Amino acid sequence: MKKNFRKIIALGCCGVLAAGVLSGCSEKGTGSSAVDSQKTEPAETQAKVEENVEVPELEGYNLLWHDEFSGDKMDTSIWKYDPHEPGWTNSELQEYTTSEENVFTRDGKLVLKAIKTKDENGNDYYTSGKVKGQNLKDFMYGKVVARAKVPEGQGLWPAIWMMPTDEQFYGQWPKCGEIDIMEVLGNQTDTAYGTIHYGEPHGEQQGTYVLEGGDTFANDFHEFSVEWEPGEMRFYIDGNHYHTVNDWFSAVDGEDDKPYPAPFNQTFFVQLNLAVGGTWPGNPDETTDFEKAEFEIDYVRVYQKPEYDTNVKKPEPNFREPLEDGNYIYNGDFADAEALDDEENWRFLLFNDGKGSAEIKDGVLTIKSEAQGTEEYSVQIVQAELPMYKGSKYRLTFDACSSEDRKMKVCVSAPTAGWVRYLNDTLVRMTPEWQTFTYEFEMDRKTDPNGRLEFNMGKRGSIADVNIRNVRIEMISGPEDEAGSDGADEAEEAAE
């Protein structure tokens, strides 16, 4: 049958739309009508552009708007200050101000500067900069390209990201959607993240890009971009494609999903900020140099195709099948001495000052830690793509021992569903003698094709070796199946 393709002319910028109160990045909609009026500040308040900058053309795109930050002040026809009190979101410490000490242009760059001062009680107080293009440069679909250099320092958190013009169209975050083009943590500046948030329940999908050879995003400028289309988003750094997403949703918890591609079928705007502290990066410490706490943005350019096909369909989820013996864990007996640095089956990961190595040999996975790191997940071994069906019961079993008495935590998490726990974080006490550990759990959340088994060995007060073997996750009953014989089939039918 011939498809009836419906196309939408790309929505331009600079409209005046009713905007809801943003809650932040735990702000973290959708009118599809064209924005039809230009809103600019009076000419005398706009920055003067002292030089003409040649902006490159992109094949298949038209340049929608751009800012090269060549003026002597921030261009208030493109950006506005976004002041907020400390603690506005994510337990962050900074006050976002309208001061030119926190937001200014210098040498053709926009600079967002974090400043450490003292309050009236002598306590540390932080100010910083956040600007946004809401109701000035709103648009729906396009390619956003930004070149920036991040600051280095514990507790610093620069971001280039997007929120909907009208957050209330689908509801407050995360139902409204969020597009994070770039986030970097100041204590790990070789790593950048591209993420989308949606839901509810809160879903997120995150890509990670790591520089090699000692290079960092604080050493020099790098280009970050996202291609946002009706049924797909693609993330790039320095032209390298590293993350694709096409299976988001928006819903009120317990209700049916809104028609795809909600919530990303409405106008969004770009914003730039430098946060201080918060639940993700942690707070600054004595090593953080606020003299150098500057987030520099060289340019922001937004391109748009002449038209976009909006007749898109959400991809069907791919549910991994269990092995013949019913085990959802692949290579759970460690018969294959597989590589542990790829996306297939087992993966060894290090974060936040964790150091170590992992090896499979003679049917045993051995993790050797050199530094425990600052987080429980600083040293971890994981296996993802585990199908978790709502209403089903599961059993996890594994053998473990350690070179000396120590602890680790095990869980089944949801990396694309807000990192909730299907199996709660469970403390495992190990000794040099092999022990068998067994845990049962019931999956009572929305069906998820991407559960993840985690063994976390960071921040446990020990770097003793850990040995694991015979890992197994099996479904012991489906939604309507006490015996469990046809549980997986029934669960998949229920998911559909």
Side-chain angles (χ1 to χ4, degrees), residues 396-412:
L396 165 66
T397 58
F398 60 91
D399 301 335
C401 69
S402 51
S403 57
E404 60 184 46
D405 290 1
R406 64 158 295 167
K407 305 169 187 175
M408 70 175 174
K409 275 194 175 178
V410 62
C411 71
V412 176

PDB file of all heavy atoms in Angstrom, residues 396-412:
ATOM      1  N   LEU A 396      18.285 -13.856  40.255  1.00  0.00           N
ATOM      2  CA  LEU A 396      19.702 -13.669  39.947  1.00  0.00           C
ATOM      3  C   LEU A 396      20.511 -14.597  40.837  1.00  0.00           C
ATOM      4  O   LEU A 396      20.312 -14.616  42.059  1.00  0.00           O
ATOM      5  CB  LEU A 396      20.122 -12.214  40.207  1.00  0.00           C
ATOM      6  CG  LEU A 396      21.628 -11.933  40.288  1.00  0.00           C
ATOM      7  CD1 LEU A 396      22.308 -12.171  38.945  1.00  0.00           C
ATOM      8  CD2 LEU A 396      21.877 -10.502  40.790  1.00  0.00           C
ATOM      9  N   THR A 397      21.427 -15.352  40.251  1.00  0.00           N
ATOM     10  CA  THR A 397      22.368 -16.163  41.023  1.00  0.00           C
ATOM     11  C   THR A 397      23.772 -15.977  40.467  1.00  0.00           C
ATOM     12  O   THR A 397      23.951 -15.771  39.260  1.00  0.00           O
ATOM     13  CB  THR A 397      22.009 -17.662  40.997  1.00  0.00           C
ATOM     14  OG1 THR A 397      21.993 -18.112  39.633  1.00  0.00           O
ATOM     15  CG2 THR A 397      20.648 -17.918  41.615  1.00  0.00           C
ATOM     16  N   PHE A 398      24.767 -16.044  41.350  1.00  0.00           N
ATOM     17  CA  PHE A 398      26.160 -15.992  40.920  1.00  0.00           C
ATOM     18  C   PHE A 398      27.027 -16.491  42.067  1.00  0.00           C
ATOM     19  O   PHE A 398      26.611 -16.503  43.233  1.00  0.00           O
ATOM     20  CB  PHE A 398      26.580 -14.572  40.512  1.00  0.00           C
ATOM     21  CG  PHE A 398      26.460 -13.554  41.598  1.00  0.00           C
ATOM     22  CD1 PHE A 398      27.526 -13.267  42.458  1.00  0.00           C
ATOM     23  CD2 PHE A 398      25.275 -12.859  41.781  1.00  0.00           C
ATOM     24  CE1 PHE A 398      27.409 -12.331  43.458  1.00  0.00           C
ATOM     25  CE2 PHE A 398      25.141 -11.912  42.793  1.00  0.00           C
ATOM     26  CZ  PHE A 398      26.206 -11.643  43.629  1.00  0.00           C
ATOM     27  N   ASP A 399      28.235 -16.914  41.729  1.00  0.00           N
ATOM     28  CA  ASP A 399      29.253 -17.267  42.719  1.00  0.00           C
ATOM     29  C   ASP A 399      30.258 -16.132  42.788  1.00  0.00           C
ATOM     30  O   ASP A 399      30.602 -15.521  41.766  1.00  0.00           O
ATOM     31  CB  ASP A 399      29.983 -18.551  42.330  1.00  0.00           C
ATOM     32  CG  ASP A 399      29.050 -19.746  42.187  1.00  0.00           C
ATOM     33  OD1 ASP A 399      27.980 -19.726  42.817  1.00  0.00           O
ATOM     34  OD2 ASP A 399      29.409 -20.679  41.441  1.00  0.00           O
ATOM     35  N   ALA A 400      30.771 -15.865  43.973  1.00  0.00           N
ATOM     36  CA  ALA A 400      31.766 -14.803  44.119  1.00  0.00           C
ATOM     37  C   ALA A 400      32.684 -15.103  45.300  1.00  0.00           C
ATOM     38  O   ALA A 400      32.282 -15.742  46.283  1.00  0.00           O
ATOM     39  CB  ALA A 400      31.098 -13.452  44.318  1.00  0.00           C
ATOM     40  N   CYS A 401      33.924 -14.643  45.192  1.00  0.00           N
ATOM     41  CA  CYS A 401      34.870 -14.659  46.308  1.00  0.00           C
ATOM     42  C   CYS A 401      35.838 -13.509  46.102  1.00  0.00           C
ATOM     43  O   CYS A 401      35.858 -12.868  45.051  1.00  0.00           O
ATOM     44  CB  CYS A 401      35.606 -15.994  46.407  1.00  0.00           C
ATOM     45  SG  CYS A 401      36.773 -16.322  45.063  1.00  0.00           S
ATOM     46  N   SER A 402      36.652 -13.229  47.099  1.00  0.00           N
ATOM     47  CA  SER A 402      37.603 -12.121  47.020  1.00  0.00           C
ATOM     48  C   SER A 402      38.915 -12.538  47.671  1.00  0.00           C
ATOM     49  O   SER A 402      38.966 -13.489  48.456  1.00  0.00           O
ATOM     50  CB  SER A 402      37.031 -10.876  47.711  1.00  0.00           C
ATOM     51  OG  SER A 402      36.568 -11.182  49.001  1.00  0.00           O
ATOM     52  N   SER A 403      39.977 -11.825  47.345  1.00  0.00           N
ATOM     53  CA  SER A 403      41.291 -12.187  47.867  1.00  0.00           C
ATOM     54  C   SER A 403      41.397 -11.957  49.371  1.00  0.00           C
ATOM     55  O   SER A 403      42.234 -12.552  50.038  1.00  0.00           O
ATOM     56  CB  SER A 403      42.383 -11.403  47.134  1.00  0.00           C
ATOM     57  OG  SER A 403      42.172 -10.012  47.244  1.00  0.00           O
ATOM     58  N   GLU A 404      40.544 -11.076  49.901  1.00  0.00           N
ATOM     59  CA  GLU A 404      40.386 -10.890  51.339  1.00  0.00           C
ATOM     60  C   GLU A 404      38.961 -10.384  51.567  1.00  0.00           C
ATOM     61  O   GLU A 404      38.281  -9.975  50.629  1.00  0.00           O
ATOM     62  CB  GLU A 404      41.407  -9.904  51.897  1.00  0.00           C
ATOM     63  CG  GLU A 404      41.330  -8.525  51.284  1.00  0.00           C
ATOM     64  CD  GLU A 404      42.417  -7.598  51.782  1.00  0.00           C
ATOM     65  OE1 GLU A 404      43.588  -8.016  51.835  1.00  0.00           O
ATOM     66  OE2 GLU A 404      42.093  -6.441  52.115  1.00  0.00           O
ATOM     67  N   ASP A 405      38.501 -10.428  52.787  1.00  0.00           N
ATOM     68  CA  ASP A 405      37.131 -10.012  53.063  1.00  0.00           C
ATOM     69  C   ASP A 405      36.871  -8.602  52.531  1.00  0.00           C
ATOM     70  O   ASP A 405      37.651  -7.669  52.796  1.00  0.00           O
ATOM     71  CB  ASP A 405      36.863 -10.031  54.576  1.00  0.00           C
ATOM     72  CG  ASP A 405      36.805 -11.438  55.142  1.00  0.00           C
ATOM     73  OD1 ASP A 405      36.990 -12.398  54.356  1.00  0.00           O
ATOM     74  OD2 ASP A 405      36.586 -11.586  56.347  1.00  0.00           O
ATOM     75  N   ARG A 406      35.782  -8.463  51.795  1.00  0.00           N
ATOM     76  CA  ARG A 406      35.402  -7.154  51.273  1.00  0.00           C
ATOM     77  C   ARG A 406      33.942  -7.191  50.828  1.00  0.00           C
ATOM     78  O   ARG A 406      33.287  -8.230  50.858  1.00  0.00           O
ATOM     79  CB  ARG A 406      36.292  -6.705  50.107  1.00  0.00           C
ATOM     80  CG  ARG A 406      36.228  -7.556  48.859  1.00  0.00           C
ATOM     81  CD  ARG A 406      36.677  -6.765  47.635  1.00  0.00           C
ATOM     82  NE  ARG A 406      35.746  -5.665  47.383  1.00  0.00           N
ATOM     83  CZ  ARG A 406      35.989  -4.655  46.542  1.00  0.00           C
ATOM     84  NH1 ARG A 406      37.144  -4.610  45.906  1.00  0.00           N
ATOM     85  NH2 ARG A 406      35.094  -3.715  46.347  1.00  0.00           N
ATOM     86  N   LYS A 407      33.429  -6.034  50.366  1.00  0.00           N
ATOM     87  CA  LYS A 407      32.036  -5.914  49.952  1.00  0.00           C
ATOM     88  C   LYS A 407      31.963  -5.344  48.539  1.00  0.00           C
ATOM     89  O   LYS A 407      32.875  -4.673  48.065  1.00  0.00           O
ATOM     90  CB  LYS A 407      31.271  -4.992  50.906  1.00  0.00           C
ATOM     91  CG  LYS A 407      31.336  -5.392  52.369  1.00  0.00           C
ATOM     92  CD  LYS A 407      30.783  -4.287  53.250  1.00  0.00           C
ATOM     93  CE  LYS A 407      31.000  -4.597  54.725  1.00  0.00           C
ATOM     94  NZ  LYS A 407      30.561  -3.461  55.586  1.00  0.00           N
ATOM     95  N   MET A 408      30.845  -5.625  47.889  1.00  0.00           N
ATOM     96  CA  MET A 408      30.496  -4.964  46.635  1.00  0.00           C
ATOM     97  C   MET A 408      28.972  -4.833  46.597  1.00  0.00           C
ATOM     98  O   MET A 408      28.265  -5.425  47.420  1.00  0.00           O
ATOM     99  CB  MET A 408      31.011  -5.729  45.416  1.00  0.00           C
ATOM    100  CG  MET A 408      30.322  -7.025  45.125  1.00  0.00           C
ATOM    101  SD  MET A 408      30.940  -7.761  43.562  1.00  0.00           S
ATOM    102  CE  MET A 408      30.085  -9.352  43.602  1.00  0.00           C
ATOM    103  N   LYS A 409      28.470  -4.052  45.647  1.00  0.00           N
ATOM    104  CA  LYS A 409      27.031  -3.919  45.485  1.00  0.00           C
ATOM    105  C   LYS A 409      26.620  -4.449  44.122  1.00  0.00           C
ATOM    106  O   LYS A 409      27.285  -4.207  43.109  1.00  0.00           O
ATOM    107  CB  LYS A 409      26.587  -2.461  45.641  1.00  0.00           C
ATOM    108  CG  LYS A 409      26.354  -2.064  47.079  1.00  0.00           C
ATOM    109  CD  LYS A 409      25.603  -0.756  47.205  1.00  0.00           C
ATOM    110  CE  LYS A 409      25.290  -0.460  48.671  1.00  0.00           C
ATOM    111  NZ  LYS A 409      24.606   0.843  48.839  1.00  0.00           N
ATOM    112  N   VAL A 410      25.486  -5.149  44.113  1.00  0.00           N
ATOM    113  CA  VAL A 410      24.932  -5.672  42.883  1.00  0.00           C
ATOM    114  C   VAL A 410      23.538  -5.088  42.711  1.00  0.00           C
ATOM    115  O   VAL A 410      22.826  -4.833  43.694  1.00  0.00           O
ATOM    116  CB  VAL A 410      24.894  -7.219  42.904  1.00  0.00           C
ATOM    117  CG1 VAL A 410      24.001  -7.722  44.035  1.00  0.00           C
ATOM    118  CG2 VAL A 410      24.411  -7.784  41.563  1.00  0.00           C
ATOM    119  N   CYS A 411      23.136  -4.839  41.467  1.00  0.00           N
ATOM    120  CA  CYS A 411      21.791  -4.347  41.191  1.00  0.00           C
ATOM    121  C   CYS A 411      21.446  -4.651  39.741  1.00  0.00           C
ATOM    122  O   CYS A 411      22.314  -5.002  38.933  1.00  0.00           O
ATOM    123  CB  CYS A 411      21.666  -2.846  41.456  1.00  0.00           C
ATOM    124  SG  CYS A 411      22.543  -1.810  40.260  1.00  0.00           S
ATOM    125  N   VAL A 412      20.166  -4.519  39.401  1.00  0.00           N
ATOM    126  CA  VAL A 412      19.723  -4.480  38.010  1.00  0.00           C
ATOM    127  C   VAL A 412      19.123  -3.092  37.804  1.00  0.00           C
ATOM    128  O   VAL A 412      18.124  -2.730  38.447  1.00  0.00           O
ATOM    129  CB  VAL A 412      18.700  -5.578  37.692  1.00  0.00           C
ATOM    130  CG1 VAL A 412      18.203  -5.434  36.253  1.00  0.00           C
ATOM    131  CG2 VAL A 412      19.318  -6.962  37.899  1.00  0.00           C
TER     132      VAL A 412
END
